Amino acid sequence: MGNKIKLAAGILFLLLFLWIIAGAIDFSRVNAQKPPVFCVETKYSGYCHYSGPGYSFDTVQNPFSKTVQYAFYLFGMEVNNNFTN
């Protein structure tokens, strides 16, 4: 019985570790103005929404500076953004 619990805990730890790595890769790509790898893209008029497993991004291209501005959401709550007014 103890081995099954250790195996289940190990699998959960591995999945959590892979989820954190995937989120970090996607966040660094969006921060570098590239599209994320582990997300599904949905385009709306003027901006893109990227949905990942438990996190998402909203991106908009600034019409003046041509840089990409983004908002990062973790489980539906905004965590970070670099939008300017």
Side-chain angles (χ1 to χ4, degrees), residues 16-48:
L16 178 65
F17 179 74
L18 292 175
W19 179 75
I20 290 171
I21 295 298
I25 290 170
D26 282 347
F27 183 78
S28 66
R29 286 185 57 86
V30 170
N31 201 21
Q33 300 186 11
K34 297 177 183 176
V37 177
F38 302 105
C39 292
V40 176
E41 177 183 19
T42 306
K43 290 188 176 184
Y44 297 101
S45 60
Y47 74 95
C48 291

Side-chain angles (χ1 to χ4, degrees), residues 23-78:
I25 290 170
D26 282 347
F27 183 78
S28 66
R29 286 185 57 86
V30 170
N31 201 21
Q33 300 186 11
K34 297 177 183 176
V37 177
F38 302 105
C39 292
V40 176
E41 177 183 19
T42 306
K43 290 188 176 184
Y44 297 101
S45 60
Y47 74 95
C48 291
H49 178 79
Y50 297 97
S51 296
Y55 58 90
S56 62
F57 299 93
D58 287 330
T59 61
V60 178
Q61 185 172 12
N62 187 324
F64 302 111
S65 65
K66 302 297 183 196
T67 60
V68 176
Q69 299 174 336
Y70 66 88
F72 174 63
Y73 301 92
L74 187 61
F75 298 113
M77 297 179 60
E78 184 175 327

